């Protein structure tokens, strides 16, 4: 005997007869209060889905082992950010049968006339992490977003606008599967100022591209800068290489300046995020401008002193310091403490004294480190030929935090 999970989809009224019969024949019905109120009878045992789920699973297991017919009623699609996955993991795939109905995403695809396989799905239902949405708008043309009472269409639109996104439009699907169903298509600006039914889902469609392509090795001239103060392309490329970024990593860029390192790192962090920290207010706007120019939406810009504004940031896998170490290890100490085990920290040093401070600090911690000297030159025209214009030499020091090192994680 198996546990049956019946997905109600967007419209329970079109539930197949075989699925309705499963619910009718159940000895035990499991579901939310609304589902139980609609389907439970006086002769049916009920188990309400509520926290903690461990108690729900214990009650289900007791009924299941007593050879009772257990049927779970789930909103939407049980295997799309639903409870189906948890039940399968708890009871084993061989003991669970899932019966889907028309799901929200499937219905949106058909109404938007977009092939389902081309759509990317993001759920903000019961979540406050927008990184999956930010990385999605960097990579996909069609995105379906599940909402809730907090993450409503207006909030989602404003979050994207705040990060410079202008190349998507939004369709809002209200009261799907009911006689009150309405589909509205508008710009993000319009959506940010409108109210919609509490029962809704969002569809984002790309209608353009950021002004500049996001990639590795961007020419320095494509960035908006302050008096051409920027981590130059040769140094930037080596620094990013030494960071050994992986797609899911969280990175801190300390002293982000114009954000050039953050911008290129964002391209590699297809499932992660960059936190660009800069204390000079005039440079904050530069970072935001560059974020919008390249569509590097997964960059979170923070204004303030790095030594005083780290507590509310997520634990970093990688840290880049491009804005100067200072005259002692005061900056390095909290950064090294917060860095995740097996993490990497990379610092650019123009002064020998800064290099010595960093080297001695890593020695004291017992971390492995390496120093790379970048001495580069760029060709410039001269007398019908070219000459080489040398850049200032830069010392790049990189260090690995060992797995056994002391750490503090949020």
């Amino acid at each position: 005997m198996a546990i049956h999970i019946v997905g109600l989809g967007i419209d329970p009224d079109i539930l197949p007869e075989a699925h309705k019969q499963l619910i009718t024949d159940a000895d035990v019905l499991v579901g939310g209060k609304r589902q139980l109120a609609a389907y439970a009878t006086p002769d049916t045992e009920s188990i309400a889905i509520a926290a903690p789920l461990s108690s729900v699973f214990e009650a289900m297991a007791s009924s299941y082992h007593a050879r009772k017919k257990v049927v779970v009623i789930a909103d939407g699609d049980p295997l799309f950010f639903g409870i189906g996955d948890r039940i399968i993991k708890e009871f084993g795939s061989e003991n669970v049968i899932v019966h889907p109905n028309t799901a929200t995403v499937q219905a949106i695809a058909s109404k938007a006339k977009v092939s389902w396989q081309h759509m990317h799905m993001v759920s903000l239902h019961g979540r406050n992490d927008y990184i999956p949405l930010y990385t999605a708008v960097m990579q996909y043309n069609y995105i379906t977003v599940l909402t809730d009472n907090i993450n409503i269409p207006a909030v989602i639109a404003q979050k994207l606008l705040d990060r410079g996104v202008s190349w998507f439009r939004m369709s809002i699907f209200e009261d799907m599967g009911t006689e009150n169903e309405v589909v509205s298509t508008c710009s993000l600006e319009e959506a940010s100022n409108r109210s919609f039914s509490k029962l809704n889902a969002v569809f984002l469609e790309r209608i353009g591209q950021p002004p500049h392509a996001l990639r590795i090795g961007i020419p320095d001239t494509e960035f908006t800068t302050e008096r051409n103060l920027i981590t130059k392309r040769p140094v930037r490329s080596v620094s990013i290489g030494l960071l050994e970024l992986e797609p899911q990593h969280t990175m801190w860029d300390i002293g982000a300046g114009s954000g050039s390192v953050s911008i290129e790192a964002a391209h590699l962090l297809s499932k992660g995020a960059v936190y660009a920290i800069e204390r000079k207010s005039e440079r904050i706007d530069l970072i935001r401008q560059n974020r919008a120019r390249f569509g590097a939406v997964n960059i979170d810009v923070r204004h303030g002193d790095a030594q005083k504004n780290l507590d509310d940031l997520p634990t970093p896998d990688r840290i880049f310091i491009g804005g100067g170490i200072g005259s002692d290890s005061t900056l390095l100490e909290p950064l090294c403490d917060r860095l995740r085990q097996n993490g990497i920290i990379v610092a650019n040093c123009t002064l020998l004294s800064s290099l010595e401070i960093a080297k001695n600090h890593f020695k004291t911690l017992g971390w492995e480190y390496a120093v790379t000297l970048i001495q580069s030159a760029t060709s410039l025209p001269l007398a019908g030929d070219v000459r080489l214009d040398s850049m200032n030499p830069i010392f790049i020091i990189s260090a690995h935090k060992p797995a056994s090192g002391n750490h503090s994680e949020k």
Side-chain angles (χ1 to χ4, degrees):
M1 183 179 296
I3 293 174
H4 293 268
I5 306 176
V6 176
L8 298 180
I10 62 167
D11 187 1
D13 291 338
I14 60 172
L15 201 63
E17 287 300 323
H19 297 184
K20 293 179 182 178
Q21 195 63 46
L22 283 170
I23 296 173
T24 300
D25 294 342
D27 298 316
V28 181
L29 280 181
V30 184
K33 291 181 180 179
R34 183 160 53 90
Q35 288 77 36
L36 293 178
Y39 291 98
T41 67
D43 298 327
T44 309
E45 296 180 36
S46 298
I47 300 174
I49 297 176
L53 282 179
S54 57
S55 298
V56 177
F57 292 150
E58 286 177 10
M60 288 175 60
S62 177
S63 297
Y64 174 70
H65 293 308
R67 308 294 294 173
K68 295 180 180 180
K69 296 177 182 177
V70 179
V71 176
V72 181
I73 310 171
D75 260 345
D77 188 328
L79 291 177
F80 184 67
F81 297 102
I83 197 171
D85 189 52
R86 291 291 304 275
I87 293 175
I88 290 171
K89 288 179 180 177
E90 185 72 21
F91 293 94
S93 60
E94 69 278 8
N95 299 315
V96 178
I97 300 175
V98 181
H99 307 270
N101 196 10
T102 302
T104 301
V105 175
Q106 183 181 8
I108 287 176
S110 62
K111 294 175 186 296
K113 309 299 190 295
V114 173
S115 296
W116 195 358
Q117 71 266 22
H118 298 316
M119 291 172 55
H120 184 75
M121 294 78 163
V122 173
S123 177
L124 293 174
H125 189 83
R127 295 167 168 83
N128 58 11
D129 181 10
Y130 269 72
I131 291 175
L133 177 60
Y134 295 148
T135 55
V137 299
M138 295 168 65
Q139 302 173 65
Y140 300 100
N141 294 328
Y142 306 105
I143 305 161
T144 295
V145 186
L146 301 187
T147 64
D148 62 15
N149 290 334
I150 296 174
N151 300 300
I152 60 177
V155 170
I156 295 169
Q158 190 60 55
K159 292 269 193 181
L160 294 176
L161 289 170
D162 289 346
R163 301 225 169 183
V165 177
S166 60
W167 55 91
F168 273 88
R169 67 183 173 196
M170 177 181 285
S171 295
I172 300 89
F173 293 77
E174 303 174 73
D175 298 312
M176 292 183 67
T178 74
E179 59 183 14
N180 298 319
E181 180 177 311
V182 176
V183 181
S184 305
T185 300
C186 54
S187 68
L188 294 179
E189 289 85 357
E190 292 170 332
S192 69
N193 291 296
R194 288 182 55 182
S195 297
F196 301 92
S197 168
K198 290 184 177 179
L199 184 61
N200 65 70
V202 162
F203 176 69
L204 295 169
E205 181 181 4
R206 183 182 295 273
I207 55 174
Q209 298 289 342
H212 292 261
L214 181 60
R215 60 205 189 277
I216 298 298
I218 299 170
D220 296 343
T221 53
E222 291 191 21
F223 291 99
T224 300
T225 65
E226 175 193 5
R227 294 181 286 111
N228 202 31
L229 294 174
I230 187 175
T231 300
K232 299 299 190 293
R233 179 159 65 170
V235 178
R236 190 165 66 243
S237 297
V238 175
S239 298
I240 289 176
L242 291 171
L243 282 165
E244 300 180 22
L245 296 170
E246 297 177 22
Q248 75 284 357
H249 279 162
T250 294
M251 173 184 146
W252 291 358
D253 183 358
I254 308 298
S258 61
S260 62
V261 173
S262 290
I263 296 294
E264 293 197 9
H267 176 59
L268 297 176
L269 299 177
S270 58
K271 298 179 182 178
V274 182
Y275 291 82
I277 300 98
E278 176 55 54
R279 63 183 177 85
K280 293 189 176 182
S281 58
E282 61 270 24
R283 294 178 180 174
I284 291 296
D285 188 51
L286 293 178
I287 302 172
R288 289 172 176 159
Q289 287 181 47
N290 285 320
R291 179 175 64 185
R293 285 167 70 91
F294 295 96
V297 189
N298 58 342
I299 297 177
D300 191 313
V301 184
R302 300 295 180 99
H303 179 213
D305 191 321
Q307 298 179 44
K308 302 175 182 177
N309 294 275
L310 302 179
D311 290 344
D312 63 338
L313 297 181
T315 301
D317 302 284
R318 302 290 187 263
I319 297 176
F320 174 72
I321 307 173
I325 288 176
S327 58
D328 55 31
S329 61
T330 303
L331 174 62
L332 283 172
E333 287 175 3
L335 296 179
C336 291
D337 183 55
R338 284 295 306 279
L339 183 63
R340 194 182 302 278
Q341 293 186 70
N342 290 318
I344 296 175
I345 183 168
V346 172
N348 287 357
C349 303
T350 304
L351 303 176
L352 286 171
S353 58
S354 297
L355 176 64
E356 191 69 13
I357 289 169
K359 185 165 64 74
N360 289 338
H361 187 70
F362 296 141
K363 268 187 179 180
T364 301
L365 293 175
W367 294 10
E368 291 185 3
Y369 68 88
V371 178
T372 302
L373 171 63
I374 299 297
Q375 175 68 76
S376 59
T378 303
S379 62
L380 291 175
L382 177 64
D385 203 337
V386 296
R387 70 176 181 85
L388 291 176
D389 184 39
S390 296
M391 300 179 187
N392 288 333
I394 300 293
F395 297 97
I396 305 177
I397 185 167
S398 59
H400 288 69
K401 183 171 185 175
S404 58
N406 294 328
H407 65 290
S408 172
E409 298 187 6
K410 287 175 72 69

